[in-house]
Amino acid sequence: MNRLPISLAALGLFAAAASAHGPAGADIKLSFDAPIPNIPGKSLRTVTVAYPPGGTTPAHRHAPSAYIYAIVLDGEIRSGVAGQPARVYKVGESWTENPGDHHVVSENASKTRPAKLLAVFVVDSKDTEL
């Protein structure tokens, strides 16, 4: 797989910042990174976000070019994006984020069970931080 440089350190810093803002933060890992062959200048990147019970991440914005599809893989995730009210998503449910959206709420909806999501990014290949 052709890997483009991406700031894994930045993902680690984001996870550390999340820990400072919530009970236990989240474990954030880049799981896939490849250019999209038929869309010059664009890449597909995926990130898994594993929240321990009560885990949360701080409000954030992603790379300016990022269009994101997120799906819950385990547990329940509370998410609120771009001025929409936060809601709880269960396994198999998903949402999208448009470029420039403010992700205000992102957290495990449970204080007793872990939760996990997969975020799929379509992003400018030159963006090295998600």
Side-chain angles (χ1 to χ4, degrees), residues 6-92:
I6 185 157
S7 179
L8 292 176
L11 287 174
L13 288 174
F14 184 76
S19 295
H21 288 82
D27 183 25
I28 303 167
K29 293 182 180 172
L30 180 70
S31 51
F32 182 82
D33 180 6
I36 302 173
N38 62 339
I39 309 176
K42 293 288 185 180
S43 288
L44 182 71
R45 298 186 180 136
T46 65
V47 172
T48 56
V49 181
Y51 292 97
T56 184
T57 55
H60 59 276
R61 293 182 194 275
H62 294 283
S65 67
Y67 177 75
I68 303 160
Y69 167 80
I71 185 166
V72 178
L73 302 175
D74 186 38
E76 297 180 349
I77 304 284
R78 181 176 296 109
S79 181
V81 178
Q84 296 298 314
R87 72 166 265 219
V88 174
Y89 295 85
K90 299 176 192 265
V91 172

Side-chain angles (χ1 to χ4, degrees), residues 114-126:
K116 187 174 188 177
L117 67 84
L118 175 71
V120 179
F121 291 71
V122 175
V123 64
D124 287 349
S125 297
K126 66 180 173 55

